[in-house]
Amino acid sequence: MKYCSECGTKLIEKECEIDGLVPYCPTCKQFRFPMFNSAISTIIFNPTKDKILLIKQYGKDFNVLVAGYIIKGENAKETLIREIKEEVNLNVIDYTYNDNEYYQPSNTLMHNYASCS
Ligand SMILES: [Zn+2]
């Protein structure tokens, strides 16, 4: 991040207590920490947990997990429930958090769940 996301001013590096040198906007007088997207993906099991549900998206020829971006003001669990309802019109009965991984191409931290619908 080279420029302030709020005002466009070129950022400088400034010492920030325990975080060391951090990009800083001299106009806003604010540190600008790294920004990235957050999203969820989920393995969707049937109630007997012997099948999973995959979907096709964007006209692609392969199947994928249900996934979606976390929107501003929403937490990851709310996104999980909303995306399953939107994508496959199912209600979540139960879920567990699996893990997360940063995905460089879309600058996204992906949180993965296993859910039962
Ligand atoms: Zn600024």
Side-chain angles (χ1 to χ4, degrees):
M1 189 162 60
K2 293 180 178 169
Y3 298 93
C4 177
S5 59
E6 294 297 319
C7 74
T9 298
K10 189 172 173 73
L11 299 174
I12 60 170
E13 295 219 310
K14 187 174 175 178
E15 194 73 28
C16 180
E17 298 179 16
I18 61 169
D19 292 315
L21 288 175
V22 172
Y24 180 83
C25 176
T27 302
C28 298
K29 299 183 180 6
Q30 294 278 319
F31 288 101
R32 296 297 180 207
F33 290 92
M35 295 172 65
F36 54 88
N37 304 306
S38 292
I40 65 95
S41 64
T42 182
I43 304 160
I44 302 174
F45 288 95
N46 64 347
T48 53
K49 296 190 176 178
D50 56 356
K51 292 180 181 171
I52 66 166
L53 177 63
L54 300 172
I55 61 169
K56 286 190 188 289
Q57 272 188 322
Y58 313 120
K60 299 265 172 83
D61 205 23
F62 48 87
N63 300 314
V64 296
L65 298 176
V66 166
Y69 285 99
I70 297 171
I71 57 177
K72 195 171 184 177
E74 196 174 52
N75 67 40
K77 294 172 196 172
E78 291 166 339
T79 306
L80 172 74
I81 292 164
R82 176 181 56 76
E83 285 291 340
I84 291 175
K85 189 68 180 176
E86 284 178 8
E87 296 279 348
V88 293
N89 197 29
L90 290 173
N91 296 311
V92 176
I93 298 167
D94 193 19
Y95 61 85
T96 55
Y97 188 77
N98 283 332
D99 205 351
N100 63 79
E101 187 167 324
Y102 178 72
Y103 183 65
Q104 177 75 44
S106 62
N107 187 32
T108 301
L109 180 64
M110 180 68 77
H111 303 272
N112 181 257
Y113 288 86
S115 56
C116 184
S117 293

